Amino acid sequence: WSKAAAGYYVGSCAVANNSMVVGWAADNLLQNLIQWYYAPTIELVYQYTFPLDAPGLQDGPFAASITSDGEFAAFASWGSMNNTSPQITVFSAFYHLAPYYSLITPGSMFDIDVQKLANGQVLLAAGGKHVHANDIGDGG
């Protein structure tokens, strides 16, 4: 199976038991596209497009994770230099109106993981830098 989205390139993807999520960044760097597929049939279940506040690679969905049951998917990015775009965005298979959760941090995220615990709680961990990735220095 292959999938192309005209005007976009894949920033990240993640696969679970019965779901696959793909984070696309627009070639013109003005918006991102999140697509959620039912993996066995490759049926597009959900799509969410959101504009970026400033053109640039920083806001691309460059890390992705999905819970093993396919209920939650999370994406991480560097975020915009002016700190107005979220570095962490979580989507739910059952809530399609907008992101389920998002977080703006002072820094940049490079990796993300989301897991659903046996008691139903969702655990999200993201790793990054305390200052924006474009800034020189340790960042924490």
Side-chain angles (χ1 to χ4, degrees):
W1 178 77
S2 67
K3 170 72 176 157
Y8 290 88
Y9 63 91
V10 173
S12 60
C13 63
V15 179
N17 186 27
N18 63 355
S19 298
M20 178 175 64
V21 291
V22 181
W24 305 83
D27 291 341
N28 65 9
L29 307 176
L30 295 177
Q31 67 181 16
N32 288 331
L33 172 65
I34 303 300
Q35 292 182 320
W36 199 303
Y37 293 92
Y38 178 64
T41 62
I42 312 301
E43 172 191 354
L44 180 62
V45 176
Y46 170 60
Q47 178 170 294
Y48 183 76
T49 304
F50 53 100
L52 304 179
D53 64 340
L57 292 172
Q58 290 92 335
D59 281 330
F62 294 119
S65 180
I66 189 168
T67 56
S68 61
D69 66 357
E71 186 175 349
F72 293 96
F75 291 87
S77 76
W78 287 13
S80 59
M81 280 296 292
N82 58 6
N83 206 29
T84 57
S85 297
Q87 290 79 12
I88 297 171
T89 309
V90 179
F91 295 88
S92 167
F94 305 113
Y95 180 75
H96 295 166
L97 301 177
Y100 185 78
Y101 175 80
S102 62
L103 178 67
I104 295 175
T105 73
S108 295
M109 296 299 126
F110 303 116
D111 202 3
I112 196 160
D113 188 34
V114 63
Q115 299 290 321
K116 192 169 177 185
L117 304 178
N119 64 4
Q121 291 182 317
V122 177
L123 176 66
L124 179 104
K129 185 176 172 182
H130 183 67
V131 296
H132 196 277
N134 287 346
D135 291 338
I136 306 285
D138 295 347

